[in-house]
Amino acid sequence: MTQLFETTKGLTDKAMHYCPGCAHGIIHRLVGEVLVELGVLGKTIGVAPVGCSVLAYDYFNCDMHEAAHGRAPAVGTGVKRMLPDNVVFTYQGDGDLASIGAAEIVHAAHRGEKITTIFVNNAIYGMTGGQMAPTTLIGQKATTSPYGRDEALTGKPLKVCEMLATIDGAVFVERVTVHNVAGIRKTKKAIKKAFQVQLDGKGFGIVEILSTCPTGWGQTPVESCVWLEENMISYYPLGNFRTPEEAK
Amino acid sequence: MATEKIIMAGFGGQGIMSMGQLLTYAGMIEDKQVSWSPSYGPEMRGGTANCSVIVSDSLIGSPIINNDATASVVMNLPSLLKFEKQVIKGGNLVVNSSLIEKKAERKDLNVYYVAANEIATEIGNNKVANMVILGAYIELTKIVSQESIVEAMKKVFGPSKQHLVELNKEALKCGAKEV
Amino acid sequence: MDKVLMKGNEAIAEAAIKAGCDCFFGYPITPQNEVPEYMAKHMAKSGGVFIQAESEVAAINMVYGASGAGFRVMTSTSSPGMALKQEGISYLVGAELPAVIVNISRGGPGLGSIQSSQSDYFQVTRGGGNGDYRIIVFAPSSIQEAVDLTAKAFDLADYYRNPVIVLGDGMIGQMMEPVEFYLTKNRTLPTKDWATTGTNGERKPNIINSLALVSEDLERHNYKLQKKYDEMEEKEVMYETHKMQGAEIVLVAYGTTSRITKNAIDSLRESGIKAGLIRPITLWPFPNKAFNEIPKPAKSILVVEMSMGQMIDDVRIANEGRLPIHFHGRPGGMIPTPEEIVEKAKEIVGGAK
């Protein structure tokens, strides 16, 4: 019998807890595959966030830290500075990274920490039950913006890639999406480049991945992919914001 | 000598802290019990500076001097106004008369006026005024020897500043002659 | 080794380096700045890592990362900064990570002052972090003791896989005294086979974690932690008694205040009042034992603190209702004088007769 498919060694066999239609599973797999393909899984230490991916430490098949909300870049800094020859990544959502962890991500980039951040932006707080995030779109309903996000009260959504691209230490900054197959392929390429930048010792790298939250958005998985394409990409343009010369 | 409690005070840049540290270090070299505590905080940024030094034959309890100084060494007017009153009856008050025109008010102290800055300038560097006045103070009380202060300098001054030891030694001697 | 004259903050930093501290993460705050400054200067020379973090919150989380990777790590701060570190401290305990945390405390509440104070007693012994946890707290009263206890803190942290706090008031941080550094005899320490150093494909992943969503699991984890706290209470209590023989009044004080109290005790004894001192060296575990051994003639206890009386609760527990407890304290960065303490003690003794 010919084996047509196998799961990546970069992930454990543990069944994931994510909701149906959630893209965390896809993104986990892409990260796991990249770590295996780069041959660095055995020297990788990941840092999981608080949020839906809080249990990521059970899914990645490498040493893991579970960090406090938003602090993953600081925890990653502590690990990487002590183990400079190892590979360190943080896996964070938008509430974790763009809100409570805004200082930590900015300063990890500012110091040029040689770590890689996988930033999953689904425009909402998923785990706590669908509250408004800094990335929630104007007019988007969330449990703490029941009438739709109002710019007058809460400002405009935070564009993390654009912000970090102003920081010299952030040498690789790219926004991608996983709502369709082409996007998933590009996402894997971006993740690989970001880790390669770390392996080359260039500095801080982040891949922002636009993702869906069918449960939090109150949509079917298919509807959510359409909603992402129609609403998120126009506000959060895809593309590369920063690449070191050699990696282009 | 049982216990000497000295307040040293002046403005930032007069070498108050280092004068106190050298005295403390010298006490340690002579196997005495010593402590040095600074005033710290915003007043250190160019304002007044003072430190408390205790040199004793017995274990030091509180490192804090609280109206029980055996001596005050004051390098500027605000320090005289503040620390004259903290000296115990019969204690010593050493005043830098180069910068303080006012005379001490208390009659129950042994007051010494030393023109520390003039003397320092005469021997070559205004900056060693602190050593002039320290020389005067240790001559008065003999709590440590001049040699111990010089030995302390050799340890405290970095390699690049060893050439300054001779000048500072000279300043101590000149100060000692003033009392 | 010869004695050297050092500032408390610098001596603590040097003691840490000599104890094998691999890395330091901190943030500027008075009156502890000489600790990170000394580390910045000397860590590079000793091959260690120094980072000035963006905040105390980030610093304690860098501690979490480095400790999880298996390294000896320290951070230092002062009172308001300690408040910010509480989040990370709770996580360190939960994930069973060793770390040494130095708090050179200052007056509060709020931004307070930068002068010496002891109003962090609650914060360090009760903690501001969430969850059932305990931390050994050392309260040195001299620079030499600060040095010795800092070295010991690293060993205890590794032994128990729990943070250890060294609490100095601003006076301990800022004053200079002669110190000697000598290697303490290390206790046998467990290997850090739990550290995240990469699996190399040779073992199952190591996970540093304080999350346990199943209540039964978290309960078991808490029982496990409690066993460690029980062992600490049994083995790690440290205190000093001073002139306790025949004491009619027992003073209780720690840190700088205990030194002032010793001066007061001398004056009291000169005027015919037999006073003694219990000085807790570990604030947690608290030296309850010392209170069981208070001699018969003692009629009262006087607690002296640079606060409004945060240690009184522990003294009450240790005293078990035997003697009346009095208090004298100066908050806000003021330091009690021996005269004040003598006066208060005389008032108590007089009143008791």
Side-chain angles (χ1 to χ4, degrees):
Chain A
M1 197 165 66
T2 320
Q3 189 174 356
L4 297 174
F5 177 80
E6 66 172 348
T7 53
T8 172
K9 295 273 187 294
L11 297 180
T12 63
D13 292 334
K14 181 109 177 167
M16 291 184 191
H17 70 285
Y18 298 114
C19 302
C22 171
H24 270 306
I26 297 170
I27 301 166
H28 282 23
R29 188 178 134 197
L30 298 180
V31 173
E33 284 176 359
V34 165
L35 293 173
V36 171
E37 287 166 23
L38 291 172
V40 297
L41 184 67
K43 63 171 183 176
T44 296
I45 294 114
V47 186
V50 172
C52 285
S53 48
V54 67
L55 296 173
Y57 57 78
D58 275 339
Y59 307 143
F60 287 108
N61 193 18
C62 59
D63 282 355
M64 292 292 293
H65 279 231
E66 163 45 37
H69 43 201
R71 318 295 177 227
V75 174
T77 297
V79 177
K80 181 71 181 190
R81 290 292 184 113
M82 299 317 294
L83 297 171
D85 297 329
N86 287 58
V87 173
V88 175
F89 75 93
T90 72
Y91 189 105
Q92 303 176 258
D94 45 326
D96 185 84
L97 181 144
S99 186
I100 195 166
E104 284 77 11
I105 196 68
V106 164
H107 286 281
H110 157 230
R111 289 188 302 269
E113 294 298 340
K114 295 169 185 66
I115 62 175
T116 305
T117 291
I118 308 298
F119 168 41
V120 181
N121 177 2
N122 58 11
I124 205 155
Y125 278 81
M127 186 182 71
T128 44
Q131 292 82 10
M132 192 193 83
T135 46
T136 296
L137 296 179
I138 298 298
Q140 187 184 341
K141 284 186 180 171
T143 58
T144 50
S145 58
Y147 310 110
R149 181 171 182 173
D150 181 351
E151 183 187 338
L153 297 176
T154 62
K156 280 186 179 173
L158 196 63
K159 297 181 178 183
V160 170
C161 278
E162 285 82 345
M163 174 176 72
L164 293 182
T166 65
I167 300 171
D168 284 347
V171 295
F172 185 87
V173 181
E174 186 159 326
R175 185 182 289 124
V176 290
T177 177
V178 289
H179 80 284
N180 60 25
V181 175
I184 291 170
R185 288 204 173 129
K186 279 188 187 160
T187 299
K188 185 169 173 183
K189 277 185 190 159
I191 291 173
K192 204 168 203 172
K193 273 190 197 165
F195 276 104
Q196 192 60 52
V197 163
Q198 177 179 173
L199 289 168
D200 295 343
K202 299 283 184 212
F204 176 78
I206 181 168
V207 182
E208 174 176 345
I209 304 166
L210 301 185
S211 183
T212 59
C213 181
T215 304
W217 297 354
Q219 296 171 357
T220 67
V222 175
E223 282 167 0
S224 69
C225 287
V226 174
W227 192 88
L228 186 158
E229 183 164 301
E230 290 178 352
N231 298 282
M232 287 183 77
I233 294 175
S234 55
Y235 189 81
Y236 298 115
L238 305 177
N240 184 274
F241 295 84
R242 271 283 183 81
T243 309
E245 280 303 317
E246 305 91 297
K248 275 178 184 164
Chain B
M1 181 199 72
T3 298
E4 275 288 312
K5 299 182 170 187
I6 314 106
I7 296 172
M8 296 178 158
F11 54 75
Q14 281 186 309
I16 303 298
M17 297 301 180
S18 52
M19 163 166 67
Q21 287 175 9
L22 284 172
L23 176 59
T24 313
Y25 216 111
M28 185 180 82
I29 289 169
E30 295 186 8
D31 272 332
K32 296 182 161 118
Q33 301 292 324
V34 293
S35 74
W36 173 94
S37 345
S39 62
Y40 61 91
E43 75 268 26
M44 294 291 293
R45 313 280 178 253
T48 61
N50 70 80
C51 61
S52 304
V53 176
I54 302 181
V55 181
S56 177
D57 289 327
S58 50
L59 272 174
I60 297 168
S62 170
I64 297 145
I65 300 176
N66 202 289
N67 292 318
D68 59 349
T70 56
S72 279
V73 176
V74 293
M75 294 288 280
N76 67 354
L77 181 62
S79 301
L80 173 67
L81 300 177
K82 190 169 179 189
F83 295 112
E84 177 181 358
K85 48 192 173 204
Q86 297 208 8
V87 184
I88 54 170
K89 198 177 164 188
N92 295 314
L93 177 64
V94 189
V95 179
N96 177 15
S97 56
S98 297
L99 300 182
I100 308 171
E101 285 176 18
K102 189 180 179 300
K103 298 290 167 195
E105 287 181 5
R106 283 174 61 179
K107 304 290 174 223
D108 57 350
L109 301 178
N110 307 309
V111 186
Y112 302 86
Y113 298 94
V114 179
N117 290 80
E118 274 101 335
I119 295 166
T121 308
E122 270 169 38
I123 62 169
N125 192 335
N126 185 30
K127 280 190 176 165
V128 296
N130 61 345
M131 289 301 110
V132 173
I133 208 154
L134 180 62
Y137 168 71
I138 61 169
E139 179 66 19
L140 279 177
T141 54
K142 312 278 186 200
I143 64 166
V144 297
S145 67
Q146 271 187 32
E147 291 71 35
S148 297
I149 300 270
V150 173
E151 209 178 315
M153 286 177 197
K154 288 177 185 165
K155 293 196 173 171
V156 173
F157 293 179
S160 62
K161 290 192 177 159
Q162 288 299 321
H163 66 282
L164 296 174
V165 170
E166 273 310 308
L167 176 65
N168 280 277
K169 195 172 161 184
E170 180 63 22
L172 285 173
K173 275 188 194 164
C174 291
K177 284 184 208 147
E178 294 295 306
V179 292
Chain C
M1 203 184 150
D2 282 350
K3 278 190 176 176
V4 285
L5 187 67
M6 282 183 100
K7 240 185 185 191
N9 284 336
E10 294 178 340
I12 286 169
E14 179 60 29
I17 292 172
K18 287 212 155 60
C21 178
D22 298 301
C23 48
F24 178 92
F25 306 97
Y27 185 79
I29 183 169
T30 307
Q32 61 85 52
N33 289 319
E34 294 84 359
V35 181
E37 285 166 1
Y38 193 93
M39 285 298 193
K41 192 170 176 186
H42 294 275
M43 268 306 201
K45 293 180 194 166
S46 68
V49 165
F50 165 86
I51 296 184
Q52 179 172 320
E54 61 269 31
S55 67
E56 284 91 350
V57 176
I60 194 72
N61 281 284
M62 290 174 188
V63 166
Y64 181 93
S67 177
F71 293 88
R72 277 200 157 180
V73 50
M74 183 165 101
T75 184
S76 71
T77 188
S78 180
S79 311
M82 192 67 177
L84 286 168
K85 285 188 197 292
Q86 297 294 346
E87 166 193 286
I89 292 171
S90 171
Y91 278 70
L92 286 164
V93 176
E96 295 193 80
L97 293 180
V100 175
I101 299 155
V102 178
N103 179 5
I104 303 298
S105 66
R106 56 189 253 184
L111 199 48
S113 78
I114 57 170
Q115 300 303 325
S116 194
S117 180
Q118 294 181 317
S119 52
D120 278 8
Y121 187 94
F122 288 152
Q123 187 171 226
V124 294
T125 61
R126 269 61 173 171
N130 59 304
D132 280 309
Y133 72 86
R134 289 295 191 180
I135 292 178
I136 295 170
V137 180
F138 288 133
S141 71
S142 69
I143 310 302
Q144 185 64 56
E145 198 174 45
V147 161
D148 298 344
L149 292 175
T150 300
K152 187 172 180 176
F154 278 95
D155 280 356
L156 291 191
D158 279 347
Y159 178 79
Y160 288 106
R161 289 186 60 182
N162 203 64
V164 175
I165 292 172
V166 178
L167 176 73
D169 48 71
M171 187 60 67
I172 294 293
Q174 292 296 323
M175 71 184 283
M176 288 179 112
E177 282 184 325
V179 282
E180 260 178 296
F181 295 91
Y182 39 84
L183 283 176
T184 46
K185 203 177 155 224
N186 286 344
R187 56 177 81 196
T188 313
L189 298 173
T191 54
K192 297 183 174 180
D193 53 5
W194 42 264
T196 59
T197 51
T199 63
N200 265 326
E202 292 160 0
R203 58 161 170 77
K204 285 191 169 167
N206 282 337
I207 298 170
I208 303 297
N209 181 30
S210 66
L211 178 70
L213 288 172
V214 179
S215 298
E216 285 81 355
D217 292 346
L218 187 54
E219 184 183 45
R220 258 195 305 280
H221 184 56
N222 270 284
Y223 287 149
K224 182 189 172 200
L225 297 178
Q226 184 61 42
K227 268 194 174 173
K228 298 200 293 188
Y229 310 147
D230 291 344
E231 187 182 341
M232 293 174 202
E233 284 199 273
E234 192 191 320
K235 293 182 180 168
E236 308 303 344
V237 172
M238 290 174 74
Y239 63 94
E240 178 199 355
T241 53
H242 174 74
K243 300 193 176 173
M244 282 291 282
Q245 209 172 0
E248 52 188 307
I249 179 165
V250 177
L251 280 68
V252 187
Y254 68 96
T256 294
T257 313
S258 69
R259 297 173 63 138
I260 300 163
T261 305
K262 283 181 184 175
N263 288 27
I265 287 169
D266 288 344
S267 319
L268 283 166
R269 289 199 166 243
E270 275 165 28
S271 59
I273 296 171
K274 286 183 180 168
L277 172 71
I278 294 174
R279 175 173 75 93
I281 299 172
T282 50
L283 301 185
W284 194 91
F286 194 75
N288 295 332
K289 190 167 160 270
F291 292 80
N292 297 335
E293 292 161 0
I294 290 176
K296 274 268 179 301
K299 295 285 181 291
S300 50
I301 290 173
L302 171 58
V303 180
V304 185
E305 294 178 67
M306 289 191 279
S307 79
M308 288 311 290
Q310 298 192 6
M311 186 170 59
I312 294 177
D313 289 357
D314 281 338
V315 173
R316 283 206 182 103
I317 293 166
N319 178 51
E320 293 180 347
R322 289 181 291 251
L323 297 173
I325 295 168
H326 304 267
F327 176 71
H328 179 72
R330 297 292 298 274
M334 295 300 291
I335 299 175
T337 63
E339 292 74 29
E340 289 166 22
I341 300 167
V342 166
E343 197 181 325
K344 179 78 183 179
K346 283 183 175 170
E347 184 190 309
I348 294 164
V349 172
K353 274 173 188 170

